[in-house]
Amino acid sequence: MNMGGYTKKVPGRFLAFLVALSIFGSVFFCDGTAVSGYASQVHEQTVWDGDRIYCTAFGDSIAKGYKGKGQEDLRSYTQLIADRMSAETGHPAECEKFAKNGLDSSRLNSEILTMEEALASLERADIITLTIGANDLMQEFKKAAQEVLGTERKFSSVYDAFDALQEGVENNPLLIVRILDVLNNWDYGIFEEQWTTAMETITEHRKDTAQLVVTNIYNPVSQFELPGAMNGIVEDIICNMNQIMYEYAQDYDYRVVDLFDSDICGHTLEDGLHPDQEGQELIADLAAEKIDSGRFKGEPEKEIKEEPRPEKRKPRKYSLWTVFGPLPQIVFAILLSVTAVILLWMMKKRNINLYRKRNKNKVKND
């Protein structure tokens, strides 16, 4: 610094102090942004520090490993995941299942996610799996069958409802139009409400490091020969229920295991609905792709491929042609042809009678 020809040097320590002070101020006094950014980095770098991998499974008969009435359950995909994690990481793993046959999303919230034991398991879980929705579909389908057939009969199973609808359509083919109308106006609001309620509960109790994977719904009735165009509408319903799952994946930090576009329907029990042991293993394989096992080994975060979110399917428009194919037109053409033949025959007969009458009168006059 020059002062009237006199040069004074500023001590280096003083300059270092000024630099440090400016950095300190920018970090800690700039609206807290740097502090919060640092905190977020620490949160992102939170790692698993346990010595045992805990898996908690929620869901229906698929998660339970249903094999058949009166038979011992299969080794479910949830247990297979625990086995795989243990083999890959070298850490012991255990799986707690809170799964029931016939469980739908409403009962999941009212019966399972209210249990202290289930919530305690959820709080310590490192991996959480959820399989729900198929029974929502089945229950609503049975209600739709009751509405269409105008009966209060309680169907014991979806097969029972299918048979009743098939019989009804055989007795009254036009009933299929009513069935399509009811299914086409399916109310997804109830399932969406129950789904988000379950996600809220799980989010409230899960650890920050816990990984949550959910399986979407496959089409168990794709192999059935349903009346008319019912297969297409049932597929639309499943796709729209799956779309709800994908829609909230980012909000509640979970990954969706795509069973809809898998080969699971080729690995089911005799009922055509529940996965056999190979089917359970297939689900475990697909679910494992959505789980970062390296987290339990201190490895860098795994890049997991996300499935593309399906588009919502709009209600279809149906006519007699789309429902019955060309049958109505063929029947109409046949009736029209028969009518034309009858009219021609009647006209010809009338002309013949007139001709005979004229000849008869002519003979009399002669």
Side-chain angles (χ1 to χ4, degrees):
M1 182 182 300
N2 191 293
M3 299 179 65
Y6 177 76
T7 302
K8 182 178 181 180
K9 295 182 179 180
V10 179
R13 291 182 180 179
F14 181 73
L15 287 175
F17 173 78
L18 291 177
V19 173
L21 184 63
S22 64
I23 294 175
F24 179 86
S26 64
V27 171
F28 292 97
F29 298 102
C30 295
D31 299 326
T33 54
V35 175
S36 61
Y38 174 78
S40 64
Q41 290 179 4
V42 171
H43 178 75
E44 290 176 0
Q45 293 174 359
T46 301
V47 296
W48 181 77
D49 59 355
D51 56 4
R52 178 180 295 268
I53 302 173
Y54 292 98
C55 303
T56 299
F58 298 105
D60 50 29
S61 55
I62 298 175
K64 186 172 179 288
Y66 176 82
K67 185 178 181 180
K69 190 173 182 180
Q71 299 188 55
E72 185 178 352
D73 288 341
L74 299 169
R75 192 157 188 78
S76 68
Y77 81 89
T78 57
Q79 295 169 305
L80 294 172
I81 288 175
D83 293 343
R84 177 172 300 194
M85 291 298 108
S86 180
E88 289 185 8
T89 65
H91 296 291
E94 63 180 61
C95 176
E96 289 186 286
K97 290 192 293 185
F98 300 90
K100 289 184 177 181
N101 296 336
L103 192 74
D104 58 15
S105 60
S106 175
R107 291 176 56 204
L108 169 69
N109 288 312
S110 63
E111 298 179 14
I112 303 297
L113 292 178
T114 55
M115 296 170 53
E116 291 185 6
E117 182 183 359
L119 295 179
S121 178
L122 178 59
E123 288 172 354
R124 66 171 172 267
D126 300 302
I127 298 174
I128 306 164
T129 60
L130 172 62
T131 297
I132 206 73
N135 288 303
D136 292 73
L137 175 68
M138 300 302 179
Q139 294 297 337
E140 290 300 319
F141 188 87
K142 288 189 283 187
K143 290 180 183 178
Q146 287 178 316
E147 181 180 347
V148 168
L149 298 173
T151 179
E152 295 182 359
R153 169 186 168 188
K154 300 293 184 181
F155 297 110
S156 59
S157 67
V158 68
Y159 293 107
D160 194 16
F162 284 150
D163 291 340
L165 287 174
Q166 187 72 52
E167 182 179 350
V169 171
E170 289 175 357
N171 296 329
N172 178 14
L174 293 179
L175 189 65
I176 187 62
V177 179
R178 172 64 175 157
I179 296 173
L180 297 179
D181 180 63
V182 171
L183 294 179
N184 220 18
N185 291 284
W186 197 281
D187 182 12
Y188 301 98
I190 298 175
F191 176 72
E192 183 172 9
E193 180 181 353
Q194 295 296 334
W195 180 263
T196 54
T197 298
M199 287 300 116
E200 287 288 341
T201 302
I202 293 174
T203 300
E204 180 183 353
H205 292 275
R206 65 186 282 196
K207 297 189 300 186
D208 290 341
T209 56
Q211 301 181 68
L212 171 60
V213 292
V214 304
T215 61
N216 67 8
I217 308 170
Y218 58 89
N219 187 357
V221 300
S222 59
Q223 56 191 321
F224 298 161
E225 294 183 2
L226 303 182
M230 282 177 60
N231 279 99
I233 288 192
V234 170
E235 183 173 301
D236 288 349
I237 293 172
I238 294 174
C239 285
N240 287 341
M241 292 178 72
N242 288 340
Q243 196 268 346
I244 291 172
M245 297 182 188
Y246 282 101
E247 182 177 354
Y248 291 97
Q250 186 172 359
D251 294 340
Y252 293 104
D253 188 24
Y254 61 79
R255 295 187 173 91
V256 181
V257 180
D258 184 19
L259 301 186
F260 183 80
D261 287 325
S262 71
D263 296 328
I264 190 67
C265 290
H267 302 282
T268 57
L269 301 173
E270 292 182 358
D271 61 9
L273 299 176
H274 297 91
D276 56 19
Q277 189 59 65
E278 289 185 1
Q280 291 285 353
E281 292 170 1
L282 173 60
I283 299 176
D285 290 340
L286 295 173
E289 295 176 3
K290 303 296 181 180
I291 298 174
D292 185 2
S293 61
R295 182 177 299 183
F296 306 112
K297 297 182 288 184
E299 297 177 354
E301 184 177 356
K302 173 184 175 182
E303 183 177 350
I304 297 178
K305 179 183 178 182
E306 297 293 345
E307 302 294 339
R309 176 177 163 182
E311 295 183 1
K312 186 175 182 179
R313 304 223 180 159
K314 298 179 180 179
R316 303 188 183 199
K317 295 182 179 180
Y318 290 97
S319 64
L320 288 178
W321 177 271
T322 58
V323 173
F324 297 104
L327 181 60
Q329 285 73 9
I330 293 174
V331 172
F332 178 75
I334 292 175
L335 291 176
L336 186 64
S337 300
V338 171
T339 301
V341 170
I342 292 175
L343 289 175
L344 289 172
W345 177 78
M346 291 177 65
M347 291 178 61
K348 184 176 181 180
K349 184 176 181 181
R350 182 172 176 273
N351 291 334
I352 291 174
N353 290 336
L354 287 174
Y355 176 77
R356 289 177 177 176
K357 187 174 181 181
R358 288 175 183 174
N359 286 342
K360 187 177 180 180
N361 292 334
K362 184 177 180 182
V363 170
K364 286 182 179 180
N365 293 333
D366 292 341

